[in-house]
Amino acid sequence: MTELLIRRFVPGWEKPEDPEVRRCYGRLGSIVGIVVNLLLSAGKLLVGAITGSVAITADGVNNLSDTGSSVVSLAAFRLAARPADAGHPFGHARYEYLSSMGVAVLILLLGVELLHTSVERIFAPKAAVFSWVTILVLSLSILAKLWLCRFGRTLGRRIHSGLMEAAAADSLSDVLATGGVLLSTLLGPVLPFSPDGYMGVLVALFILRSGVEIIRKAMDQLLGEAPSQELVAEIQAFVRSYPGVLDCHDLVIHSYGPGRRFASIHAEVPAEEDILVSHDIIDTIERDILAQKGIHLVIHMDPVAVGDPQLEHYRGLVKEALAAVGEGLSFHDLRLVAGPQHTKLVFDITAPFAMEAGDEEICRQMQEALQQREEKLLAAITVDRV
């Protein structure tokens, strides 16, 4: 069913990285969410009014809020697809993150109101009318939400959309919440107390939890969360695969929304190579990674002396000292400044954020470790955290 809808309503569906195709994916997911949630909300609100069940009514209002969320998503995908302009040179893709937060605020407001109503019902219980129609509506709702969760997750992963995946996670929470309401309806006639208000509280808590999770994820994206290790390794492997590139380091990635990634990296090239040849290789890498992976990459070229016995000697000393200082450390941009009294090494160290030692402490330990190997050896070190 999912693939059928995608192929029917998403022209060029096999190219999800294309901005226009991506917008079509988002539009399809939003419209399907609107239709399914409207039908579920109407059915539950009707059954809740007939039976007097606050839990069923709460679940229906939750579906109505999901409809509003899908409407916001529809607008967000349209706004996010707008091209870059003079005021926003990196595009408008972060509209998705802002829309996620707007949806989350709406969900939290509804959750608080439903929690208040449900608590009141606990202290002033009313008997709900058992109906097989209620059982049928709730059962169909669970099946529909399970499908909607899978549908949203498929689309979200295909186009790398946090907004779609948040909707899928919300659908899964709805499955659990509706399951609780169904259990309340089945157990109500046999229990000595009315479980209606308690299940209403449970549904409200699921709604609140969903809103908090969506806000947390959107905040991480807006603040600039760390790129995945898979993406880092993918970019580094891409750059290293070209002849004439010895190694790379200092990769920095900025995300301006789904499909809008900008990055910079330092690529080491042989110092004895013709600079025009190395520059041509760098230009080729930048063009290729944009065409193949949609990443705007700027490469800084670092010339490295290859085959210099003296430099290789000191490179070996630095490796030994790093191993003595701690695990997870690496270095790059090693330069040698030889003087009459001392030899000075200039280089950068890459250290993980998780390493407890501060930057100054790492530099001090490295200086000591190097001087244990050569007393007149000095070091000018810059520490980068990754």
Side-chain angles (χ1 to χ4, degrees):
M1 182 66 171
T2 299
E3 289 299 325
L4 179 64
L5 289 172
I6 290 174
R7 298 189 183 202
R8 174 67 179 82
F9 295 104
V10 181
W13 58 270
E14 66 279 6
K15 297 180 180 179
E17 69 280 356
D18 182 272
E20 181 58 30
V21 174
R22 191 177 189 282
R23 187 176 73 84
C24 291
Y25 268 102
R27 181 176 60 193
L28 172 64
S30 300
I31 291 175
V32 169
I34 290 171
V35 172
V36 172
N37 283 304
L38 271 178
L39 292 174
L40 292 177
S41 177
K44 291 177 186 178
L45 291 175
L46 179 61
V47 171
I50 294 173
T51 63
S53 170
V54 68
I56 296 176
T57 301
D59 208 25
V61 173
N62 182 30
N63 291 143
L64 190 60
S65 74
D66 292 340
T67 303
S69 300
S70 296
V71 171
V72 173
S73 298
L74 185 63
F77 277 107
R78 185 176 184 84
L79 290 171
R82 292 166 58 186
D85 54 36
H88 306 89
F90 298 107
H92 300 78
R94 282 185 176 173
Y95 267 120
E96 284 192 36
Y97 305 154
L98 295 173
S99 299
S100 296
M101 297 189 70
V103 168
V105 170
L106 175 62
I107 290 173
L108 290 174
L109 291 174
L110 288 170
V112 170
E113 180 60 29
L114 292 175
L115 181 62
H116 177 261
T117 303
S118 299
V119 170
E120 286 184 341
R121 180 59 62 92
I122 291 175
F123 291 101
K126 294 181 181 179
V129 179
F130 179 84
S131 169
W132 286 108
V133 174
T134 302
I135 303 301
L136 177 63
V137 169
L138 293 177
S139 299
L140 290 175
S141 174
I142 290 174
L143 293 175
K145 279 292 186 174
L146 279 172
W147 177 83
L148 196 59
C149 173
R150 183 177 179 182
F151 178 74
R153 188 169 292 170
T154 299
L155 266 62
R157 290 176 177 174
R158 190 165 296 185
I159 64 174
H160 304 289
S161 170
L163 188 55
M164 293 298 300
E165 293 200 22
D170 187 42
S171 295
L172 185 59
S173 295
D174 291 344
V175 170
L176 299 176
T178 304
V181 176
L182 178 59
L183 185 63
S184 169
T185 304
L186 290 171
L187 296 179
V190 298
L191 290 177
F193 64 93
S194 173
D196 189 44
Y198 297 97
M199 288 301 174
V201 169
L202 185 61
V203 172
L205 291 177
F206 273 120
I207 294 173
L208 291 171
R209 177 180 176 275
S210 175
V212 170
E213 284 297 312
I214 293 172
I215 286 180
R216 183 192 62 79
K217 180 63 176 175
M219 284 292 293
D220 286 345
Q221 293 168 327
L222 286 170
L223 288 172
E225 60 184 348
S228 68
Q229 290 300 313
E230 292 78 11
L231 178 61
V232 171
E234 182 182 359
I235 295 175
Q236 290 176 336
F238 191 94
V239 174
R240 289 174 179 142
S241 68
Y242 282 74
V245 175
L246 302 175
D247 204 351
C248 56
H249 54 84
D250 284 353
L251 172 62
V252 179
I253 303 174
H254 298 280
S255 173
Y256 290 88
R260 298 290 294 171
R261 288 194 294 255
F262 295 79
S264 63
I265 195 170
H266 288 222
E268 297 177 359
V269 298
E272 63 273 13
E273 181 63 83
D274 187 325
I275 190 172
L276 295 178
V277 173
S278 295
H279 189 268
D280 184 61
I281 294 171
I282 295 304
D283 278 350
T284 301
I285 298 173
E286 291 175 342
R287 287 195 303 270
D288 289 351
I289 199 169
L290 177 60
Q292 297 177 32
K293 301 184 181 299
I295 298 173
H296 300 261
L297 181 65
V298 176
I299 302 178
H300 174 80
M301 193 166 60
D302 282 343
V304 176
V306 179
D308 183 337
Q310 188 180 30
L311 195 59
E312 290 299 323
H313 166 71
Y314 287 113
R315 186 173 283 113
L317 291 184
V318 173
K319 288 181 180 179
E320 292 177 9
L322 280 177
V325 170
E327 295 182 359
L329 298 175
S330 61
F331 75 98
H332 54 83
D333 284 347
L334 177 64
R335 299 187 300 280
L336 176 65
V337 181
Q341 299 297 326
H342 295 88
T343 299
K344 185 176 182 180
L345 298 179
V346 183
F347 58 95
D348 292 0
I349 291 178
T350 300
F353 281 110
M355 192 169 186
E356 293 184 2
D359 294 355
E360 291 184 2
E361 178 64 16
I362 293 174
C363 293
R364 185 189 65 78
Q365 292 183 24
M366 276 297 298
Q367 181 68 71
E368 291 180 354
L370 287 170
Q371 287 184 337
Q372 287 175 3
R373 287 156 176 80
E374 284 194 18
E375 186 177 352
K376 295 184 177 181
L377 195 58
L378 300 178
I381 305 170
T382 301
V383 179
D384 303 321
R385 294 282 181 167
V386 294

